[in-house]
Amino acid sequence: QSVLTQPPSVSGAPGQRVTISCTGSSSNIGAGFDVHWYQQLPGTAPKLLIYGNTNRPSGVPDRFSGSNSGTSASLVIPGLQAEDEADYYCQSYDSSLNGWVFGGGTKLTVL
Amino acid sequence: EVQLVESGGGLVQPGGSLRLSCAASGFSFSSYAMTWVRQAPGKGLEWVSSISATGGTTYSADSVKGRFTISRDNSKNTLYLQMNSLRAEDTAVYYCAKNPRREPRGDDDFDIWGQGTMVHVSS
């Protein structure tokens, strides 16, 4: 069981808006540690998608956005595209575990 | 081009040892902390171990503490993971990843990833 909780799966049609949630606690997201998001396309390594809660690395399309509030964070994709079909992971730090933690991952299916 | 290339994975018996390597290129390796992350087959990502830019500070997950040792050779631009007393539950793809600063910090993301190397622990 992961320290950060994500829905196992979400889906949407092309052009639709999807939100992937990441729920933590007072020892990680709630403690103010940054949340980061990774995209893992099938059969490939994870790729940094959002860092520092809301920032996109160079080359990441601006249709991906991140936010957080309290003990939760969200990844929002307002206009789904077929190539967005992948697994998505949130990541933060946990002060109780003294280590970096990931969510269990969310499989995004584009219908 | 910034690149991380892992090697050293393979099939090993329970209780055995293996050393993974991660060769870095395209950036100033000695200026950044580095991290190992693993992914069991069909499962999510798990942080394993991190090391500072100089190698003077290391951090490890409880699941591998006392069995795995992270190290680096900045003269060779290479990161290592020495894995001893391997168990079936250590079976995973092991990724090396770059931290954004010299010393691992709670707010760190992992901004560059290698392609991974598979470790299979089985008799």
Side-chain angles (χ1 to χ4, degrees), chain B residues 67-86:
Chain B
R67 301 188 300 123
F68 291 11
T69 302
I70 189 172
S71 64
R72 63 192 296 160
D73 185 339
N74 287 343
S75 69
K76 295 182 179 179
N77 289 346
T78 302
L79 175 73
Y80 302 102
L81 186 67
Q82 177 66 44
M83 304 187 295
N84 299 330
S85 303
L86 281 161

